Amino acid sequence: MRARMHDLFGGHRLSPSQRRIAQYLLDHPREAVFLSSVDIAEKVGVSQPSVTRFATALGFDGFPEFRSALRSALLARPADQPAAGVRNEIQLLIDAEIRNLETLRDTLADLGPLHKVSAALAASRPLPVIGLRVSAPLAQLFGYFAAKVLPDVRVLDVPGSTLEDGLTRAAETGAEWVLVFALPRHPAETKKAMLWARRVGLKIALVTDQRLSPLAEHADVVLAAPVCSDFAFDSHAGATVLCTALLHTVLGATPTDQQASLDLFETTAEERQIFLSR
């Protein structure tokens, strides 16, 4: 049933608010098909127009048409899956990455630790985020989305005294935690930054490739996602998924009024025509 609903939502670029709506529908499929757009808005914590925009983003004229398609999707019989043929080199590499994702999935069976660190990060004012060298894009990704909900997110991706100054100012203005992304190869600069963070009194949440990472001993909390080294360059699919999962749980740990800022952004973004329509 979830797979058929994923097919309905797939291939569409959804805003964070719309993804929350989609997640609610995935979690409550049999209930959702009988709810109105107002009911769903109340359940998710968004406005009724956001639910309508979600339906139109999927290509429907309005919510009633979407709900009819949703009901049909739930009643549809699954199509037969084509038999897998001989895989080429890249497909085999992707298979290795899929196994890494399965490993990550299994390690997240208990969401207690993830929720705990997410609540701590969401409460930190400000929240510095470190990512150096190959880890810089993940820090930027987290920072971009987290800043839509958290009031003060500071991405630090330049090593040296500038980074140390940023950590010092964050600690002086009330920060309690710093989030560090550190994927192989682990830069010595990241270790230096973590030691400085500890010196100025910050607790450290580390996202890395394994719990035995050479940087793990310097962190208060370690979140690990396997990195695929079978390609010519490392593939960070698992780390990216973990980053997205962390964003998801950080959002869930923020007060409702802060979550509402996402809905406000989507409304103003539509008015300002920030994004191209499909």
Side-chain angles (χ1 to χ4, degrees):
M1 182 181 296
R2 288 177 63 88
R4 295 196 293 274
M5 293 183 69
H6 272 296
D7 290 341
L8 186 63
F9 302 152
H12 298 277
R13 298 288 299 176
L14 301 178
S15 69
S17 294
Q18 291 167 350
R19 292 177 190 177
R20 288 163 58 197
I21 296 170
Q23 187 60 54
Y24 175 80
L25 296 175
L26 287 168
D27 292 340
H28 308 86
R30 296 190 181 280
E31 173 189 358
V33 294
F34 298 104
L35 298 179
S36 68
S37 59
V38 174
D39 294 331
I40 293 176
E42 291 178 352
K43 297 281 188 182
V44 179
V46 299
S47 67
Q48 185 276 332
S50 293
V51 179
T52 301
R53 286 196 294 269
F54 169 75
T56 57
L58 297 180
F60 297 94
D61 293 334
F63 180 78
E65 292 79 9
F66 163 72
R67 185 169 57 185
S68 296
L70 183 61
R71 290 173 177 172
S72 297
L74 295 181
L75 295 174
R77 296 180 61 183
D80 293 335
Q81 297 296 321
V86 178
R87 290 181 169 87
N88 60 38
E89 174 191 6
I90 299 301
Q91 289 177 310
L92 291 174
L93 293 173
I94 293 173
D95 282 342
E97 189 68 283
I98 290 172
R99 288 192 292 274
N100 280 340
L101 288 171
E102 290 174 338
T103 298
L104 174 62
R105 178 200 61 200
D106 294 343
T107 62
L108 292 176
D110 177 11
L111 289 178
L114 185 64
H115 283 302
K116 184 176 180 179
V117 69
S118 296
L121 295 176
S124 184
R125 303 285 189 279
L127 175 60
V129 181
I130 295 175
L132 303 179
R133 296 184 180 267
V134 75
S135 302
L138 270 184
Q140 291 287 352
L141 174 69
F142 182 92
Y144 175 80
F145 286 114
K148 295 184 181 300
V149 182
L150 304 182
D152 191 356
V153 180
R154 306 179 184 183
V155 177
L156 305 172
D157 56 6
V158 177
S161 59
T162 299
L163 189 153
E164 292 173 354
D165 290 345
L167 289 174
T168 301
R169 286 194 296 271
E172 290 173 346
T173 52
E176 296 183 354
W177 283 81
V178 57
L179 175 61
V180 179
F181 290 92
L183 303 179
R185 302 166 63 190
H186 307 97
E189 300 155 325
T190 302
K191 177 181 176 180
K192 185 177 180 181
M194 293 175 69
L195 293 174
W196 186 265
R198 183 74 69 199
R199 179 174 174 179
V200 298
L202 295 173
K203 296 180 181 179
I204 301 170
L206 174 66
V207 175
T208 188
D209 60 311
Q210 55 181 317
R211 293 192 175 277
L212 297 179
S213 161
L215 297 173
E217 63 178 300
H218 305 294
D220 295 278
V221 177
V222 177
L223 301 173
V227 169
C228 183
S229 300
D230 294 347
F231 293 87
F233 297 98
D234 287 348
S235 175
H236 298 152
T240 303
V241 169
L242 180 56
C243 175
T244 306
L246 189 58
L247 282 164
H248 180 84
T249 49
V250 164
L251 174 61
T254 57
T256 303
D257 59 335
Q258 288 179 221
Q259 294 186 29
S261 65
L262 276 177
D263 196 32
L264 177 61
F265 171 78
E266 294 305 323
T267 300
T268 58
E270 184 174 346
E271 293 173 353
R272 291 182 289 161
Q273 298 182 339
I274 293 178
F275 304 112
L276 298 175
S277 58
R278 292 183 63 85

